[in-house]
Amino acid sequence: MSNVSEAEVRAEVRAWLQEHWDPQMPLVEWRNLLADSGWGMPQWPKEWYGRDLPVGLVRAVEEEFAALGAVGAARTGVRLLAAATLLEHASDFIKKKFLRRIVTGEDNWCQLFSEPGSGSDLAGATTRADFDGANWIVNGQKVWTTSAHHADYGILLARTDWDAPKHDGLSFFVIAIRQPGVDVQPLKQMNGHASFNQVFFSDAMIPPEHLVGRVNEGWKVAVTTLAHERRGADGMAPPVKRGGREGRIYVEERAELEIANEPYRWYPQRAGRTDLVIERAKETGANTDPVIRQEIAKLMILSKSAEWTARRARAAQRQGRPQGPEGSLGKLAASHVARAAARVHTMITGAEAMLTGKQSPREGIIAEILVSVPAVSIAGGTDEIQRNIIAERVLELPKEPRFDIGPFRNVRRN
Amino acid sequence: MSASTEPRHEPARRIQYAFTDEQEQFRAALRRFLTDKSPTTEVRRLMATAEGYDPAVWRQLSDELALPGVHIAEKYGGAGFGMVELCIVTEELGRALLCAPYFSTAVLAANAILNAGSETQKKSLLPDLASGKRLAALAITEINGNWDPSAIELTATPEGGGYRLNGTKSYVVDGQVANLLVVAARLPASDERLAIFTLDASWPGVERRLLDSMDPTRKIARIDFRGARADLLGSVDGGARAIARTMDQAAIALANEMMGGAQVMLDSAVAYSKMRVQFGRPIGSFQAIKHKLADMLLDVELGKSAAYYAAQTAATEDREWPAMASLAKAAATETYLRTALDCIQLHGGIGFTWDNDTHLWFKRAKSSEAFLGDANYHRELLMQRWGV
Ligand SMILES: Cc1cc2nc3c(=O)[nH]c(=O)nc-3n(C[C@H](O)[C@H](O)[C@H](O)COP(=O)(O)OP(=O)(O)OC[C@H]3O[C@@H](n4cnc5c(N)ncnc54)[C@H](O)[C@@H]3O)c2cc1C
């Protein structure tokens, strides 16, 4: 299907939707149809609920769905990150067991990578998994785990060999969260929300079939997840608004999103809300201040340029050109935009920037921007780590000297 | 390839975020030509001359590559491409720092004639510019150094069938070598509208003086007009609009030129960081250097995105294109200068020497910073154009 034109794809999806789309259908039943037809995740392989569609044509499919108000596959949280990883590395058993329920939204997922002792240095994980002859037994702690409180499953990086060098002793698992050995405790953030958690494992169990890839080759699998995560920063589709549409399926979808999106309500704010800047400048009169006008212009130039850079990367990808440097910069660019936006919002808001909550500007949204932006340059790999990656992989600068070689047991750690 | 032998393209109707294969080939051919003709030894030789260019190279880039008319329609003797191709040319010229009267002739003067001229005038003036036979310069800015057309004071007084120009223009790029002068002027006090005029640089009443420019790769002149006879280009009514259009197109072409230079500064900094050893290791393995280079890369890619996008909006006559001209110029101004400064810094002491080539681009970055309006000016224009 790799040589189809956009017009053909549009015609095909439109015809399919005409035949099948029914807003009165139960949500899960509809999404099972999506999984069977491949229209829910058309870029996935044909044998796994997709249609092998080139990534460049996915937007056309989404637009056809949106035009009819048709509900798509479940997309909240880290489910797609997990799915992308499983598609690349997992056994057919795992794919069969989990991918369909990812599309239908029946299972929620979380990413169990960071630990108190290792965040940037994920390969330094000390959560352990030991095979007892029948199952893998997990002990240790993960932290900053977004959405673990809603999750059914997690993708887990754990140490399975302490004598191997750091990167060679890790394994990658799918772990069930709702079991006695897993304890999820919410962790309150500086912006007052608690979207992430601490997750404690005491003799938690993982059946052997839930190993992804081979034992002690988990780092390779995690790298796939991380690569998708970095790319996600500039590839996120805007949420479809369906206000006012009627039908059973919308009621069920709203109920689902109510829960699934709960941890992410502040996410638009952490990106800086550049969309509000000009409105706010006009409504406060800050638009007459020549200094603030300069700062707004600087911010908007940055934010627009970041958007066009992401589009350049996608266009090159669509044309089948090798990825240029523009594809690796999205996450770092997003940090700069968010920070600049918080600065400009503060200038525009003046003394009211000292307030928070419903009585403060835009019912607390501005305050939420100011206290949420610091997350962007940390979550999903800090700015410093992004710069290391860009310098070493894109610019091919020499690596730094390392101090974490030899058996992991002997490596200095927290 | 020669631009004139390529198939003609319908102007794209939508913004393209990737160059076409033809555009990439055109760029590659151009880059080969410039690598050959404009090594820094040549740049240094030509920048020390008064004319500031090599007529033989100019003839080649006109005859073999048809560059001066790349964006001029075929019926006026050009290659029939558009703003995107023009900006590919300026980006490559900015990269190679080619010393040639290209920006003046092709970008400024030819666009002014395209924007303001009558059909007859375009047919009589443009073919010689497109073929590289004649050089032209656009005189807009005056001694006050204000790039806003509202600051134009030079007067054009109607006399007989033509006009007489009185006043002084400054910062006229390549004004000393141009054969044809294109001049923005104001009608006398009772009228005060702006219009564009053309005259031969050799006509009486024109006095030109080469200024000592800090960036010797871009020559600038001051020109006194003392009752010089000139022809009105197009109509008085269209004057102000044509000037604005020309300035916006020039800002976009300049932004692309600047990003070509910024890329050189980045590449040079990266290459030197891999080679230079201190404390027993390449300086590029120090994180302070790595992070700076990563930031420079981000900066340059963002600036390129803005410059390319602006060229696309101009090529497609997108409603937003004048705003995008200001956006791209402001972005390129900050980026080019920052990248050039960082490149000097990463070279250490050698970066401050005359023999090291970095300062050639740094000076181009400096002159480009003020040329056509600095970043503050364009940011304010952007806000106005967005209705803020
Ligand atoms: C909102 C939010 C949601 C998150 N969600 C999840 C999740 O769902 N799942 C999950 O697994 N994790 C999650 N995280 C964790 C996140 O990935 C880590 O916090 C992050 O990678 C940084 O790790 P750390 O906190 O251990 O900081 P550290 O790694 O200790 O870093 C501390 C500082 O040192 C710097 N530093 C570290 N190493 C280097 C180096 N080599 N060179 C230069 N500087 C360096 C860092 O940039 C940082 O400034 C989340 C974090 C946040 C803020």
Side-chain angles (χ1 to χ4, degrees), chain A residues 293-294 309 387-388 392, chain B residues 21 290-291 295 305 379 388:
Chain A
R293 291 169 71 82
Q294 287 286 318
T309 304
R387 289 190 182 95
N388 287 349
E392 290 179 8
Chain B
D21 290 339
K290 281 183 168 172
H291 285 194
D295 285 335
S305 297
R379 283 191 289 257
V388 178

Side-chain angles (χ1 to χ4, degrees), chain A residues 114-403:
Chain A
S114 301
E115 300 185 3
S118 60
S120 301
D121 183 17
L122 284 178
T126 57
T127 291
R128 59 187 306 142
D130 300 285
F131 197 64
D132 72 355
N135 288 297
W136 292 95
I137 307 298
V138 182
N139 285 286
Q141 184 195 343
K142 295 287 173 176
V143 74
W144 303 308
T145 317
T146 304
S147 269
H149 52 306
H150 297 309
D152 302 287
Y153 293 95
I155 44 178
L156 171 77
L157 194 59
R159 188 154 305 277
T160 41
D161 185 342
W162 296 72
D163 295 312
K166 186 164 98 170
H167 295 83
D168 302 336
L170 295 165
S171 301
F172 196 106
F173 300 95
V174 170
I175 184 170
I177 302 295
R178 299 175 201 273
Q179 61 164 305
V182 179
D183 179 20
V184 177
Q185 297 291 340
L187 196 50
K188 188 172 174 182
Q189 298 144 198
M190 64 173 273
N191 62 359
H193 293 272
S195 51
F196 55 34
N197 303 271
Q198 309 187 71
V199 182
F200 300 91
F201 306 95
S202 29
D203 291 337
M205 283 213 322
I206 303 177
E209 318 77 83
H210 286 190
L211 174 70
V212 180
R214 284 214 277 264
V215 179
N216 296 332
E217 292 182 12
W219 180 246
K220 204 172 65 187
V221 185
V223 165
T224 300
T225 316
L226 298 174
H228 281 282
E229 189 169 14
R230 271 198 300 282
R231 240 169 279 149
D234 51 13
M236 218 104 87
V240 187
K241 292 209 180 77
R242 307 205 176 78
R245 300 234 193 208
E246 308 234 335
R248 166 178 180 167
I249 198 164
Y250 295 122
V251 176
E252 289 188 21
E253 191 197 24
R254 265 196 298 278
E256 177 195 90
L257 291 177
E258 190 70 26
I259 298 170
N261 278 343
E262 171 271 319
Y264 302 103
R265 255 179 283 158
W266 57 281
Y267 274 40
Q269 281 66 265
R270 81 176 190 178
R273 294 302 300 269
T274 47
D275 59 317
L276 293 181
V277 165
I278 288 176
E279 275 171 40
R280 285 279 300 150
K282 286 180 179 168
E283 80 189 21
T284 56
N287 61 337
T288 59
D289 181 321
V291 175
I292 296 183
R293 291 169 71 82
Q294 287 286 318
E295 295 302 319
I296 294 173
K298 283 183 201 166
L299 165 66
M300 296 313 288
I301 291 170
L302 181 63
S303 139
K304 290 279 176 192
S305 304
E307 183 189 320
W308 298 326
T309 304
R311 282 175 180 267
R312 278 173 59 212
R314 281 202 295 274
Q317 187 187 37
R318 246 198 315 272
Q319 300 205 341
R321 303 228 172 105
Q323 199 191 32
E326 68 275 6
S328 317
L329 301 169
K331 183 152 195 312
L332 191 54
S335 281
H336 285 295
V337 171
R339 251 195 223 142
R343 228 172 74 84
V344 173
H345 273 302
T346 308
M347 283 181 198
I348 290 172
T349 305
E352 283 185 313
M354 294 190 287
L355 306 178
T356 187
K358 291 276 177 237
Q359 306 292 314
S360 70
R362 292 283 174 123
E363 298 198 310
I365 290 291
I366 301 302
E368 189 158 285
I369 295 170
L370 306 186
V371 296
S372 299
V373 156
V376 172
S377 43
I378 299 171
T382 67
D383 279 6
E384 289 74 22
I385 296 299
Q386 300 305 318
R387 289 190 182 95
N388 287 349
I389 293 172
I390 292 166
E392 290 179 8
R393 307 231 182 108
V394 182
L395 298 176
E396 298 179 327
L397 291 162
K399 297 218 187 304
E400 280 173 81
R402 286 183 55 174
F403 303 93

Side-chain angles (χ1 to χ4, degrees), chain B residues 286-298:
Chain B
F286 293 114
Q287 205 173 55
I289 305 284
K290 281 183 168 172
H291 285 194
K292 189 184 277 291
L293 289 169
D295 285 335
M296 287 165 73
L297 173 69
L298 175 61

Side-chain angles (χ1 to χ4, degrees), chain B residues 72 74-77 113-114 117-129 233:
Chain B
I72 296 175
E74 285 167 288
K75 61 177 169 177
Y76 309 129
I113 295 167
L114 280 165
S118 68
E119 195 58 24
T120 323
Q121 288 170 324
K122 289 191 236 183
K123 287 213 162 101
S124 80
L125 294 172
L126 290 171
D128 282 351
L129 300 191
L233 192 62

